[in-house]
């Protein structure tokens, strides 16, 4: 029987905590969930601060060296794995979108933060020394509050998390340049959201330009200016990412994956995948870590 690709929700990881929230020091969490070293997905938002450790971790098949005072953020649906060397410690927060949306009047607040957009390059941040102590203090307060059962405890946790997110967001280049999203930034985020929803059926920049009420040339110039790649490449990259996510699910054969991604047949999917990655779907499936 083929081994299914694991997708975890908070309930499957939580230990007598709120169903929409899990807060823990990282070492005991890792000891209890050693199976998470294998590729897996989350249905929730995931935040980890390393205070000790070595090795590497990957988000959507991009690898990062583990460093003390490195913090990373993941949105639901991203593929993740760890490969640590020696003892590792820090802090972890898992929380659902509903946990935050029930607190704020802006349901899109999390998506407005630069590290929760699903763009891997923005998700791993090495914290500057001048905020190490403040960051640790916030995590320690979160650990303490998560163990309380008193009135308004969840609201206190939400406010501490909000302080943490704002503290880290202020360190990014984008937030240092402006206190509010620019029109182009907002437009780019709208394009990415549309791509996430429609990549299997809409493959041409003109399709997305029409949905955004701009010209294809405008969309292409926007992507080249802000990302350094064309709009077509943004769409292709999203298709390839989804293909990789599906390929590590051994319950699906290559033909089924091609169908899910709306390719005419297995052969066309294989040619597309190899053209833009340099290896066939079968080669990636056999050794996704090396790719």
């Amino acid at each position: 029987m083929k081994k299914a690709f694991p997708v975890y929700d908070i309930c499957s990881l939580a230990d007598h905590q709120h169903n929409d929230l899990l807060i823990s020091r990282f070492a005991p969490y890792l000891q209890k969930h050693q199976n998470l070293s294998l590729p897996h997905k989350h249905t929730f938002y995931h935040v980890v601060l390393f205070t000790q450790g070595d090795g590497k971790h990957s988000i959507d098949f991009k690898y990062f060296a583990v460093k003390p005072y490195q913090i990373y953020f993941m949105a639901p649906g991203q593929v993740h794995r760890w490969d640590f060397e020696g003892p590792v410690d820090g802090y972890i927060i898992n929380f659902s979108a509903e946990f935050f949306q029930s607190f704020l009047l802006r349901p899109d607040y999390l998506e407005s933060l630069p590290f929760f957009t699903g763009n891997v390059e923005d998700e791993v941040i090495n914290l500057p020394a001048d905020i190490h102590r403040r960051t640790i203090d916030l995590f320690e307060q979160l650990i303490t509050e998560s163990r309380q059962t008193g009135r308004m405890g969840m609201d206190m946790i939400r406010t501490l998390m909000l302080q943490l997110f704002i503290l880290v967001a202020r360190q990014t280049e984008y937030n240092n340049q402006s206190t509010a999203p620019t029109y182009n930034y907002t437009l780019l985020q709208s394009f990415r959201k549309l791509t996430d929803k429609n990549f299997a059926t809409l493959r041409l920049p003109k399709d997305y330009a029409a949905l955004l009420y701009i010209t294809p040339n405008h969309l292409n110039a926007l992507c080249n200016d802000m990302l350094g790649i064309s709009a077509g490449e943004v769409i292709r990259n999203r298709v390839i990412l989804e293909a990789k996510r599906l390929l590590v699910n051994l319950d699906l054969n290559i033909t089924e994956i091609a169908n899910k991604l709306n390719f005419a047949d297995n052969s066309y999917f294989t040619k597309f995948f190899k053209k833009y990655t340099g290896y066939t779907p079968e080669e990636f499936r056999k050794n996704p870590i090396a790719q």
Side-chain angles (χ1 to χ4, degrees):
M1 188 173 179
K2 293 179 179 178
K3 185 179 178 182
F5 180 65
V7 180
Y8 296 102
D9 59 25
I10 294 178
C11 292
S12 65
L13 300 176
D15 211 15
H16 306 296
Q17 292 205 36
H18 195 280
N19 287 341
D20 288 318
L21 177 72
L22 186 154
I23 299 173
S24 173
R25 289 190 170 85
F26 192 68
Y29 177 88
L30 183 63
Q31 181 64 31
K32 184 169 184 178
H33 302 292
Q34 296 183 27
N35 56 318
L36 297 182
S37 62
L38 299 173
H40 60 278
K41 285 184 182 181
H42 302 149
T43 63
F44 47 84
Y45 288 91
H46 174 68
V47 182
V48 171
L49 171 70
F50 295 119
T51 56
Q52 173 192 358
D54 201 358
K56 59 185 179 180
H57 62 105
S58 73
I59 302 173
D60 279 340
F61 312 100
K62 293 188 179 182
Y63 283 81
F64 303 88
V66 173
K67 300 176 182 178
Y69 294 98
Q70 178 188 88
I71 190 168
Y72 73 81
F73 301 82
M74 282 178 52
Q78 294 187 280
V79 173
H80 180 47
R81 77 178 305 271
W82 296 315
D83 186 11
F84 296 130
E85 298 173 7
V88 182
D89 205 359
Y91 303 89
I92 185 168
I93 307 172
N94 296 334
F95 67 99
S96 70
E98 291 75 18
F99 181 75
F100 238 73
Q101 288 169 352
S102 64
F103 183 63
L104 299 175
L105 291 175
R106 287 180 54 190
D108 64 339
Y109 187 83
L110 288 170
E111 294 177 357
S112 74
L113 294 168
F115 41 71
F116 273 141
T117 62
N119 184 34
V120 176
E121 286 78 7
D122 298 328
E123 294 179 340
V124 180
I125 301 165
N126 295 309
L127 298 176
D130 62 346
I131 67 164
H132 286 182
R133 186 69 260 163
R134 290 169 65 194
T135 306
I136 292 295
D137 287 346
L138 285 169
F139 273 104
E140 284 294 331
Q141 290 178 68
L142 282 162
I143 291 285
T144 300
E145 286 295 332
S146 70
R147 294 170 176 167
Q148 304 297 324
T149 57
R151 181 172 172 265
M152 302 183 76
M154 289 296 107
D155 284 347
M156 180 60 79
I157 287 174
R158 291 180 180 97
T159 60
L160 290 168
M161 288 170 60
L162 187 58
Q163 289 182 63
L164 173 66
F165 296 159
I166 293 172
L167 177 65
V168 176
R170 282 176 169 173
Q171 310 310 309
T172 68
E173 182 178 1
Y174 159 71
N175 279 273
N176 285 336
Q177 291 174 347
S178 174
T179 57
T182 64
Y183 169 75
N184 281 345
Y185 179 85
T186 302
L187 192 59
L188 179 63
Q189 292 305 95
S190 296
F191 174 46
R192 281 175 162 164
K193 290 178 186 178
L194 286 171
T195 306
D196 276 339
K197 292 175 63 176
N198 301 289
F199 64 86
T201 54
L202 301 181
R203 298 286 173 83
L204 298 177
K206 67 177 183 179
D207 298 326
Y208 293 94
L211 292 172
L212 293 166
Y213 300 100
I214 61 176
T215 67
N217 285 343
H218 185 173
L219 179 60
N220 207 44
L222 173 73
C223 292
N224 277 310
D225 182 49
M226 300 194 71
L227 301 175
I229 59 176
S230 68
E233 193 170 348
V234 172
I235 300 165
R236 286 195 300 273
N237 287 347
R238 185 62 184 85
V239 175
I240 291 166
L241 172 59
E242 194 66 20
K244 289 180 176 180
R245 289 176 173 178
L246 293 170
L247 283 165
V248 291
N249 179 355
L250 301 183
D251 275 353
L252 297 173
N253 62 42
I254 304 300
T255 299
E256 289 171 326
I257 292 171
N259 289 337
K260 276 182 171 288
L261 295 175
N262 210 31
F263 284 90
D265 54 46
N266 185 358
S267 175
Y268 181 40
F269 169 60
T270 298
K271 289 177 182 177
F272 173 88
F273 191 84
K274 185 169 185 179
K275 179 179 179 180
Y276 293 108
T277 66
Y279 35 85
T280 66
E282 291 84 357
E283 290 168 341
F284 176 84
R285 170 164 273 181
K286 288 177 182 176
N287 193 11
I289 297 173
Q291 310 301 341

